[in-house]
């Protein structure tokens, strides 16, 4: 598997995904292509290398003017950063995302400032997002449905990771596009990891999102990070345990060390993810997620 490669999702009709090469890291960022009567992109990548997504549309056989929908699961720029670029290239596509996220994509100034503060040195990998024209974007809420012709996507609000996050359930394929609600799946080592970035991570809401996934009970989970895998109740049990232990460990470290930067450095030093990603990416990911939990603890 290499950056830019396009794959079909096993057991699903008309569903493909592309490795966007996010953060110059293979098997980190996925964008999904639903090749239906009204074709859709689910998520848009980081903006950088958005051409990989356009090339993937070409490979699947979807003309750019035929794309009907661009569907960011949430407004974080690793999922929505390419939206403006793709909307410009695909002139007939409507952007649909949670109503809370709509203003951020129309005017991304605050989103950019927040992202720079959150991702720190990783900002060098991002493209400055292009605003989405107001007449090209509409808001979604829980319970909405998106008509893709021979497929329908049901919208489920999943605010634990971010208040503007939704999941899309492709009922025809019984596939659920989870955004970040089910964590980060790392196929190379078959491991699930937490994602708890600042500033809106909420443990209780994340646990509620896991319960929402259990209630949907899909056949396939389509992770934004990274790729599809068969749904397994035990996987959600594991993610629930990981989240709870992650927050508890950081809380205990803060009580012991009394200094947030020392807490961050402790977890960076303990990170074991360099084997799956680069050492730099693993360290940056750890810093991001620890800082998100510390912000959450401040609000308790």
């Amino acid at each position: 598997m290499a950056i830019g490669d396009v794959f079909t999702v096993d057991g699903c009709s008309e569903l493909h995904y592309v490795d966007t090469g996010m953060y110059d890291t293979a098997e980190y960022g996925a964008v999904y292509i639903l090749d239906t009567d009204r074709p859709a992109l689910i998520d848009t990548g980081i903006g950088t290398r958005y051409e990989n997504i356009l090339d993937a549309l070409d490979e699947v056989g979807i003309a750019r003017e035929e794309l009907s929908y661009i569907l960011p699961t949430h407004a974080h720029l690793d999922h929505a950063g390419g939206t403006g670029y793709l909307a410009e290239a695909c002139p007939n596509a409507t952007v649909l995302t949670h109503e809370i996220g709509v203003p951020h994509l129309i005017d991304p100034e605050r989103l950019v400032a927040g992202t720079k503060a959150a991702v720190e040195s990783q900002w060098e990998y991002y493209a400055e997002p292009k605003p989405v024209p107001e007449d090209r974007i509409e808001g979604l809420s829980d319970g909405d449905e998106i008509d893709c012709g021979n497929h329908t996507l049901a919208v489920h609000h999943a605010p634990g990771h971010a208040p503007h996050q939704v999941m899309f359930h492709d009922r025809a394929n019984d596939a659920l596009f989870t955004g970040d609600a089910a964590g980060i799946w790392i196929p190379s080592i078959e491991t699930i990891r937490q994602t708890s970035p600042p500033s809106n991570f909420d443990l209780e809401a994340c646990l509620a999102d896991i319960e929402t996934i259990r209630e949907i009970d899909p056949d396939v989970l389509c992770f934004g990070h990274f790729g599809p895998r068969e749904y397994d109740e035990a996987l959600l049990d594991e993610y629930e345990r990981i989240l709870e232990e992650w927050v508890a460990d950081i809380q205990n470290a803060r009580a012991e060390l009394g200094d947030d930067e020392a807490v961050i450095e402790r977890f960076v030093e303990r990170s074991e993810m360099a084997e799956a990603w680069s050492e730099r990416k693993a360290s940056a990911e750890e810093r991001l997620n620890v800082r998100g939990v510390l912000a959450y603890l401040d609000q308790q």
Side-chain angles (χ1 to χ4, degrees):
M1 179 176 289
I3 292 169
D5 284 352
V6 180
F7 304 89
T8 59
V9 178
D10 291 342
C12 293
S13 66
E14 303 174 307
L15 183 57
H16 313 265
Y17 66 106
V18 57
D19 184 336
T20 65
M22 193 178 296
Y23 304 115
D24 288 345
T25 301
E27 295 189 358
Y28 186 84
V31 166
Y32 293 88
I33 302 168
L34 194 57
D35 184 17
T36 52
D37 295 340
R38 298 186 181 95
L41 285 174
I42 296 93
D43 280 334
T44 71
I46 208 166
T48 308
R49 291 177 167 167
Y50 75 92
E51 297 90 350
N52 286 345
I53 302 169
L54 296 175
D55 291 344
L57 286 175
D58 294 339
E59 185 170 335
V60 171
I62 299 171
R64 296 173 190 183
E65 63 272 14
E66 293 175 350
L67 187 71
S68 293
Y69 301 112
I70 299 170
L71 307 174
T73 55
H74 55 297
H76 287 169
L77 289 181
D78 55 333
H79 293 259
T83 304
Y85 294 93
L86 294 169
E88 184 176 74
C90 303
N92 297 317
T94 299
V95 177
L96 300 175
T97 197
H98 192 272
E99 58 193 3
I100 296 174
V102 167
H104 293 297
L105 300 189
I106 292 172
D107 180 3
E109 183 178 355
R110 287 179 58 197
L111 185 62
V112 168
T115 302
K116 287 180 177 180
V119 303
E120 300 176 313
S121 66
Q122 289 189 98
W123 178 254
E124 70 180 78
Y125 294 109
Y126 286 72
E128 193 78 24
K130 287 191 174 185
V132 177
E134 285 191 56
D135 62 352
R136 298 282 306 280
I137 189 168
E138 299 176 14
L140 297 169
S141 59
D142 188 71
D144 285 348
E145 295 186 345
I146 301 168
D147 180 8
C148 295
N150 49 329
H151 291 238
T152 298
L153 299 179
V155 178
H156 297 268
H157 194 204
H161 178 81
H164 40 72
Q165 179 174 251
V166 295
M167 300 181 290
F168 300 109
H169 183 207
D170 176 2
R171 291 176 176 145
N173 282 321
D174 201 13
L176 183 67
F177 303 95
T178 61
D180 287 331
I184 293 177
W185 172 248
I186 307 167
S188 62
I189 55 176
E190 297 191 338
T191 297
I192 195 162
R193 293 278 294 176
Q194 69 280 344
T195 173
S196 56
S199 59
N200 298 123
F201 169 74
D202 184 310
L203 175 61
E204 288 73 26
C206 283
L207 298 177
D209 293 343
I210 292 172
E211 191 57 38
T212 298
I213 297 172
R214 288 193 179 106
E215 292 169 359
I216 297 168
D217 191 27
D219 283 344
V220 179
L221 296 176
C222 294
F223 289 85
H225 315 285
F226 171 85
R229 64 149 289 159
E230 184 179 353
Y231 174 74
D232 180 357
E233 182 82 20
L235 187 72
L236 289 188
D237 292 344
E238 173 72 0
Y239 188 50
E240 185 174 55
R241 180 190 66 78
I242 285 171
L243 277 178
E244 291 176 326
E245 291 183 357
W246 173 243
V247 172
D249 287 347
I250 292 170
Q251 187 172 27
N252 291 338
R254 176 185 255 185
E256 175 192 345
L257 299 173
D259 178 79
D260 283 357
E261 193 59 35
V263 173
I264 293 168
E265 290 308 313
R266 170 177 286 186
F267 285 92
V268 168
E269 290 170 3
R270 291 180 178 179
S271 176
E272 298 176 349
M273 298 315 299
E275 60 182 299
W277 307 323
S278 68
E279 184 172 341
R280 180 184 180 188
K281 176 57 187 164
S283 296
E285 191 82 12
E286 208 78 1
R287 286 187 60 86
L288 180 76
N289 287 323
V290 175
R291 289 173 58 237
V293 174
L294 292 170
Y296 160 78
L297 292 173
D298 286 338
Q299 298 167 9
Q300 302 310 296

